[in-house]
Amino acid sequence: MDTIKKRISPFISLGKLLKTTLIEEAVFRAYSHNHWFTPEFVRQSLRAISEEYLEEEKLSNWIEPYSLHYSSQTAPKKIGVVMAGNVPAVGFDDLLCVLVSGHHLLAKISNDDRSLMLFLIEKLIEIEPELAERISVVERLNAADAYIATGSDNTARYFEYYFSKKPHIIRRNRTSVGILNGNETKEELAALGRDVLQYFGLGCRNVAKVYVPEGYDFREFYEAIEPQHDYYVSHHKYFNNYEYNKSVYLINQEPHFDNGFLMTRETESLVSPISVLFYERYQSADHLAELLTTNEDKIQCIVSQKGNYPNSLPFGQAQSPTLFDYADGVDTMAFLTGL
């Protein structure tokens, strides 16, 4: 008989494994395959998965509200999942949702994240061999009954065309923002720096833009993030992007601030390039609310001092989503359990 405990048990065991040194070979293999996935960032991602997703109490509390069907007579569906590869193991939450909801996973893994996702799948199957019959790594998703696809705005149009006749979730470009009031401590500004720079700013939960009050001075922010200087300057892929963007700004005489590894530039645009943090000034609380409302369909999450702004997180927590923090605000488990 299928039970909640049986479904979550392999993931609890996986969570314990991810806290051990047994992951080290996979960490360095991921880095060898994709130099954006530094060992430090891969470890951070796996630690976040183990601590925020795969603890027994958190898993139990997460699935409790859903009307899951545990009868073996319920026919599972084949769920085609197109996984992103911008940050380490970013496709794991969809894998978790599909398997815990009782369906079969057809995973189209991003080449950028292939090594790490295959490691997680391999370990899950070692823990629970029966999962081998419910996980397929594929290149084509023709056999799927429903789809979950993550990509850019351009690829989303492609997904809409090909997946429109079957149930689907299609995710588009999103980014995250920060709100500053000018009274932040050095520790809070350093935490914001991690929200901006972790995973080199490649994730949709990375802060790509901050809203600041009129007259805001970035010197305190730059002082707070200075300890991260050597790490980012020494990463050749990141620093190549920094030098390129700096050259563009200098040639075009675009005003900006620069501390040697992160530039800040004033603009109404939302999505900044690697090594650049955009900012926009607000004149009042109402003006700030208006700016955020204008971009709400493009914002993944918001960070602010102590999470005081409505529906925001404290600085430093952008890259620590819980099981309830679904991408694009679309409840993946409700979708899967409703099929």
Side-chain angles (χ1 to χ4, degrees), residues 222-261:
Y222 274 134
E223 289 173 4
I225 67 171
E226 181 61 25
Q228 301 189 59
H229 173 275
D230 291 351
Y231 186 85
Y232 290 93
V233 168
S234 64
H235 189 274
H236 72 278
K237 281 180 172 289
Y238 177 88
F239 199 66
N240 285 345
N241 277 269
Y242 163 79
E243 290 190 312
Y244 171 79
N245 289 316
K246 180 176 180 177
S247 298
V248 170
Y249 288 167
L250 291 174
I251 290 171
N252 294 335
Q253 297 184 329
E254 296 184 34
H256 64 280
F257 299 112
D258 181 9
N259 72 340
F261 70 98

Side-chain angles (χ1 to χ4, degrees), residues 101 189 234 245 287 305:
S101 63
L189 292 173
S234 64
N245 289 316
H287 183 215
Q305 187 178 42

